[in-house]
Amino acid sequence: MRLDKYLKVSRIIKRRTIANEACDAGKVEVNNKIARASYDVKIGDVIKITFGEKVSSYKVLKVYEHALKEDASKMYEQL
C-alpha cells in the first residue's frame, strides 16, 4: 500500500492530500530515510512524521486496504 494511503486509512493523518503534501515536503521518514508518497509500506516499517516542533513515530503492525474507525488504531503502534 502507498505511504500516503496508509497514513489516511490508519487515520494518522486525516486527509490523503495532506499526507501526500507532507511526503513531498520531506516531513515523513520511513526507517530513517525520507520517503515519497509512493513508498510501499510493509509490516515492521517505522514511520516518523515531523510537523513543526512535533515529531511522532509509529511502527506498522498491519496493512489494511480499508479500516473501520475502531480497527485503524490496530494498524500501528505509537513509539
Side-chain angles (χ1 to χ4, degrees):
M1 175 186 295
R2 289 174 52 102
L3 177 59
D4 57 345
K5 185 173 181 183
Y6 179 83
L7 292 172
K8 186 225 179 269
V9 170
S10 64
R11 292 171 170 77
I12 293 173
I13 296 179
K14 299 293 181 208
R15 296 201 171 114
R16 188 169 177 179
T17 54
I18 294 175
N20 203 322
E21 290 169 4
C23 292
D24 290 344
K27 298 179 186 251
V28 181
E29 296 180 17
V30 178
N31 300 329
N32 295 320
K33 294 179 188 165
I34 294 176
R36 301 181 66 147
S38 60
Y39 175 82
D40 188 33
V41 175
K42 295 175 269 325
I43 293 172
D45 283 345
V46 176
I47 300 171
K48 185 167 107 178
I49 304 172
T50 306
F51 276 123
E53 298 292 318
K54 184 180 174 189
V55 178
S56 303
S57 296
Y58 306 91
K59 183 175 182 178
V60 177
L61 301 177
K62 297 178 182 174
V63 179
Y64 297 134
E65 285 295 320
H66 304 285
L68 298 173
K69 193 174 196 177
E70 304 83 43
D71 298 332
S73 61
K74 297 175 185 170
M75 293 178 67
Y76 62 87
E77 170 189 6
Q78 191 163 6
L79 304 176

